[in-house]
Amino acid sequence: MNHESQLGDFGHYQIVRLLGIGGMGMVFLAEEKTSGQRVAIKALRPELVKAPAAAHRFWREAGHMRRLAHPHVLPILEGSEGAQGPYLVMPFMERGSLAQVLAGMKGGTGARGPAGQRAGGSEGLRPGRPSPTRTR
């Protein structure tokens, strides 16, 4: 299925291409129409747009993302709802997918943190490990 042509634009952002599809959502590379700024847009899959529970879960996840402050979590620049359903706009990072980053780490070429430690170390996120919680 060609998701790009099916969805068209999101507000003042023009879809460039599909980056990935998950269980509930899709992520697109898009450009802001006037400035040309490249962003990532996360949207509900078209078949879930009319499901109130899916939209509720999408906005609940957005709320959790807004409360996180971590160098490895992208900020939400904008959240809106259009003819295609709810969507989030985030900065576009040209680092590849999580699977590609993790594959690079296994091969010894993984990203390093600010102090030179390998990302995903004892303090980082790893597959199968719960996310760390913030203490107040």
Side-chain angles (χ1 to χ4, degrees):
M1 180 188 297
N2 184 345
H3 293 290
E4 291 95 331
S5 63
Q6 180 179 344
L7 291 171
D9 296 344
F10 285 90
H12 51 102
Y13 299 95
Q14 181 177 3
I15 298 300
V16 174
R17 66 182 166 94
L18 178 67
L19 295 173
I21 299 176
M24 283 189 58
M26 303 181 308
V27 179
F28 297 93
L29 172 61
E31 290 182 349
E32 204 277 330
K33 292 177 186 176
T34 56
S35 71
Q37 177 188 8
R38 294 187 131 200
V39 296
I41 294 183
K42 182 177 183 177
L44 272 180
R45 292 173 64 139
E47 63 269 22
L48 297 175
V49 168
K50 302 249 187 253
H56 176 75
R57 186 172 174 184
F58 183 87
W59 289 120
R60 186 176 65 213
E61 178 183 323
H64 294 311
M65 289 173 65
R66 284 189 189 273
R67 287 188 291 279
L68 288 173
H70 190 276
H72 298 290
V73 176
L74 294 174
I76 295 174
L77 303 174
E78 180 181 336
S80 191
E81 192 154 346
Q84 309 89 340
Y87 64 93
L88 302 174
V89 180
M90 295 172 278
F92 174 64
M93 304 298 288
E94 293 195 51
R95 294 185 182 155
S97 69
L98 176 59
Q100 292 166 327
V101 171
L102 291 174
M105 288 170 57
K106 289 178 185 173
T109 60
R112 301 218 177 244
Q117 69 271 33
R118 186 173 297 284
S122 62
E123 299 294 347
L125 300 176
R126 286 182 267 156
R129 178 177 174 210
S131 299
T133 56
R134 211 175 4 175
T135 59
R136 295 182 191 235

